Amino acid sequence: MIVYLKTNTSTTQIAEMQLHLKQAGFESYLVQQPNICMVPALKDPSIIERFPFISGFKLISTAYQLSSNEYKNETLFEVNGVQVGSNFANIIAGPCSVESEEQIFETAAFLHKNNIKFIRGGAYKPRTSPYSFRGLGKEGLKLLQEAAKQYKLNVVTELMDLSLLDEVMAYSDVIQIGSRNMANFYMLSELGKINKPILLKRGMQAKVNEWLLAADYIMSSGNEKIILCERGIRSFDPMSRNVMDVAVIPLIQSLSHLPIIADPSHGTGDSKLVPIMAKASMVAGANGLMIEIHPNPSEALSDAKQALNFTDFETLLSDLEVLKPAIKKPIDASYSVFI
Ligand code: PEP
Ligand code: MN
């Protein structure tokens, strides 16, 4: 249950209510100081009705509470003046890994030329083999931020471990939580305490319920700036890297207020399949795309097979322009800003 509190409620009053709830056996989470307190197990509000600073209650019917669209209709926020969420479609593009000054500056200049507002690039990479290229670390973050500054881009980069939080915070505008960390619940709670948007990728084995509950971990600690990202799920078939779940886009939008973008690069693992799945995702109602690109894909140090070259990426952008009239959220709204 969501408990709404009057704006002038003091921290002492809130603490008193939370103690009362605890004594009655209910954990509570102050989600939006001082207005919203969440008490997931509470079904009957009568035990706290007597507190005069409570302005209302809302019972949420699903296990995931704060990511549910019963909690709110839409999530809308800005990243340095760029709107994210609701009807906005954003493109995030860049290499899998930051590899060199030349590579990242060339990519940033290209994105700027195409009016893209977000650059991606990993500096600490989750690689299956410890013997593969694992990123340039802090040096990579510095290069990424310098290139982004020069070309007025926002940085999206992955946080692999909480020990790197301060460092990644300092060099990024959006923190990516990769597929492998979607279920790192302690990490997710800690990310609820920071004031930076989180791009939460779907775990490669995650059910929709589990993914939304992962978002609840972040939200219940206070951070509501979340972008979900579908990146494909594992299957039995070695023919494709992952199975890209395009249907999950309208499904999530029928369940949650959180924006959802699609990553057809990891979703397919194949640069030949990326453009068509990118278009399919946008037509399915995605709030944006994350695409891996590289100035010279065959030389990429990670995920070479799935990176688009600049020419193919530009073709995709112009195809998306043509598709614009078909690109609508399935429910009601149309896109007011695109790329
Ligand atoms: C990535 O975006 O480079 C990445 C490693 O993604 P995922 O966590 O989806 O595998
Ligand atoms: Mn990658």
Side-chain angles (χ1 to χ4, degrees), residues 17-191:
M17 182 190 73
Q18 289 192 292
L19 181 64
H20 179 74
L21 280 163
K22 200 169 181 70
Q23 283 163 348
F26 296 103
E27 280 307 326
S28 62
Y29 304 83
L30 194 57
V31 178
Q32 274 181 22
Q33 182 103 14
N35 291 121
I36 297 178
C37 188
M38 216 235 322
V39 197
L42 188 68
K43 301 277 178 278
D44 172 10
S46 62
I47 69 151
I48 47 170
E49 248 161 11
R50 67 184 170 84
F51 291 104
F53 48 83
I54 292 176
S55 60
F57 302 98
K58 190 186 269 182
L59 195 61
I60 309 280
S61 65
T62 47
Y64 50 90
Q65 301 258 304
L66 294 168
S67 55
S68 162
N69 58 9
E70 293 174 42
Y71 168 56
K72 60 178 176 177
N73 288 334
E74 61 175 14
T75 285
L76 190 58
F77 55 88
E78 276 189 9
V79 182
N80 300 318
V82 184
Q83 291 283 352
V84 175
S86 188
N87 303 328
F88 293 91
N90 301 103
I91 309 265
I92 302 166
C96 181
S97 308
V98 181
E99 297 168 359
S100 66
E101 181 171 345
E102 196 189 1
Q103 172 233 27
I104 204 68
F105 273 78
E106 198 179 330
T107 306
F110 168 73
L111 293 175
H112 178 72
K113 186 184 99 191
N114 282 286
N115 200 25
I116 304 291
K117 305 291 182 218
F118 293 88
I119 186 167
R120 60 148 288 146
Y124 293 94
K125 296 299 301 176
R127 301 306 302 275
T128 304
S129 163
Y131 312 115
S132 303
F133 175 66
R134 291 200 265 168
L136 297 180
K138 191 171 184 173
E139 192 46 39
L141 289 176
K142 282 186 184 162
L143 289 173
L144 186 58
Q145 191 184 56
E146 280 164 23
K149 249 192 195 138
Q150 180 159 336
Y151 292 102
K152 298 184 178 54
L153 299 162
N154 292 298
V155 167
V156 183
T157 196
E158 179 167 355
L159 175 69
M160 286 262 287
D161 189 86
L162 273 180
S163 60
L164 296 164
L165 181 60
D166 289 345
E167 188 177 314
V168 171
M169 283 275 285
Y171 291 101
S172 65
D173 301 292
V174 176
I175 294 183
Q176 175 173 326
I177 296 303
S179 194
R180 291 152 193 85
N181 265 318
M182 188 216 81
N184 187 339
F185 304 125
Y186 179 73
M187 186 179 194
L188 299 175
S189 298
E190 291 301 302
L191 293 170

Side-chain angles (χ1 to χ4, degrees), residues 96 120 125-126 158 176 178-180 201 231 241 263 266 290 292 303:
C96 181
R120 60 148 288 146
K125 296 299 301 176
E158 179 167 355
Q176 175 173 326
S179 194
R180 291 152 193 85
K201 287 195 152 193
R231 49 78 72 205
R241 183 175 185 182
D263 167 2
H266 295 87
M290 176 180 259
E292 285 189 349
D303 287 350

